[in-house]
Structures are given as C-alpha cells and as structure tokens.
Amino acid sequence: MKLNSNWRMAILGAFVLLLDQLTKLIVLHYLPDIGDEREVLPGFFRLVHWGNTGAAWSLFRGYNGVLALVAIGALVALVLTRHHFDAHTVGGQISLALICGGIVGNLADRLRVGHVIDFLYFYVNRRGLLPGDPRAEAGFPAFNVADSAICVGVGLLFLLSWTSQNARPTAAAPK
C-alpha cells in the first residue's frame, strides 16, 4: 500500500507527538516536582523538570494562553499552506511533519498542565567561580523532544529551500 504525502506527514507528526509526550511522562514519573533535577554527566548535562509558560528561551513568560492560541494559528496556517513548503517532496514532508508534531506536543502541555515541560539541560562550569555561585554555570536553555523536532524541521526546511534555489537553472546573461 502506497501512502500519499498527507498520510506520511500525519504518521510522522503523530510519532513525534507520541515520543514527546512519552518522554515527558517519564520525566514526570522520575522528577515529579517542578525544579527537580538529576545529574547525568557532571559539568555538562542534567535531566530537569522545568515548566515554561513562555516561548523559546522563556521569552514572553507568563503568556501561556496567548502562546497556545499562536500555536493553534501556526498549525492551521502550516496545514493550509503546506503546498508552499515543498510538501510534494519527501524532505518537505519530513520537515513539515517534524514542525507540526512539535507544535502539537508543546500545545498539549500548555493545555494539559498549563506550561511546556522542558527536561534536557546542557551546561558547562565556568572556571574561577565557586560552586553555588549563580554565575558558575553557563547553560543552554532547557528543551524537550518537541522543541528539537521543531528546530530540526525548520532547519531542514531552510536547507531544502536553499538547495532548491541553487538547483534552479538561471537564465544566461545577455552578452
């Protein structure tokens, strides 16, 4: 049985959503309270349970409801305009499915628990500062599977756009 592009995107998007929600359930099981942390690689990586009511890097913190509406609008816009994003190609289908699956994963958190659950935290210790000093740690904002899917999907979309523009023949300049 051959799947059409819409079904392929729906299946991959559903897989991203399932993986995202499953990993968040595992975090809630092992780190039940917001603020709980577990050191995995000292000086580099922790599993955390942080709640984010904002967008990326906690921008617009406290606007969970507004950001849920923005997510719904973005999702509807992507679905309705998917033909503009190379949805006829496998790469375009993968990128759109990753983005949509990620949006739905974070939207589910916003609606279910009132914030996005972030749990992957990478950091380094700064030299010359004592442990416990709030400046001693330089970290990348915590994120989750949905965030990763959105970023990879957008990156793939940019790459596909760039390569398809470079592959188009250009008209010869008049001599």
Side-chain angles (χ1 to χ4, degrees), residues 146-160:
D147 297 335
S148 299
I150 293 168
C151 290
V152 170
V154 169
L156 180 58
L157 206 56
F158 278 124
L159 182 64
L160 292 169

Side-chain angles (χ1 to χ4, degrees), residues 163-175:
T163 56
S164 70
Q165 285 195 354
N166 285 342
R168 290 186 188 138
T170 56
K175 294 185 181 187

Side-chain angles (χ1 to χ4, degrees), residues 86-108:
D86 285 333
H88 62 282
T89 67
V90 172
Q93 293 163 18
I94 291 170
S95 65
L96 286 172
L98 290 172
I99 295 168
C100 290
I103 290 172
V104 174
N106 282 340
L107 178 60

Side-chain angles (χ1 to χ4, degrees), residues 55 60 63-78 103 107 110:
F60 311 111
Y63 289 93
N64 191 60
V66 172
L67 291 169
L69 292 174
V70 168
I72 291 167
L75 190 62
V76 168
L78 281 170
I103 290 172
L107 178 60
R110 289 187 189 285

Side-chain angles (χ1 to χ4, degrees), residues 16-101:
V16 168
L17 172 62
L18 180 67
L19 182 62
D20 176 66
Q21 293 299 298
L22 180 62
T23 55
K24 290 171 181 173
L25 283 173
I26 292 168
V27 166
L28 291 173
H29 179 74
Y30 288 103
L31 302 170
D33 298 320
I34 290 182
D36 284 351
E37 300 182 355
R38 180 128 335 134
E39 193 81 22
V40 177
L41 295 171
F44 183 69
F45 176 64
R46 271 189 217 124
L47 287 174
V48 299
H49 177 183
W50 292 351
N52 184 1
T53 59
W57 295 284
S58 294
L59 295 172
F60 311 111
R61 185 179 311 183
Y63 289 93
N64 191 60
V66 172
L67 291 169
L69 292 174
V70 168
I72 291 167
L75 190 62
V76 168
L78 281 170
V79 169
L80 294 177
T81 62
R82 66 188 176 278
H83 59 281
H84 291 292
F85 297 101
D86 285 333
H88 62 282
T89 67
V90 172
Q93 293 163 18
I94 291 170
S95 65
L96 286 172
L98 290 172
I99 295 168
C100 290

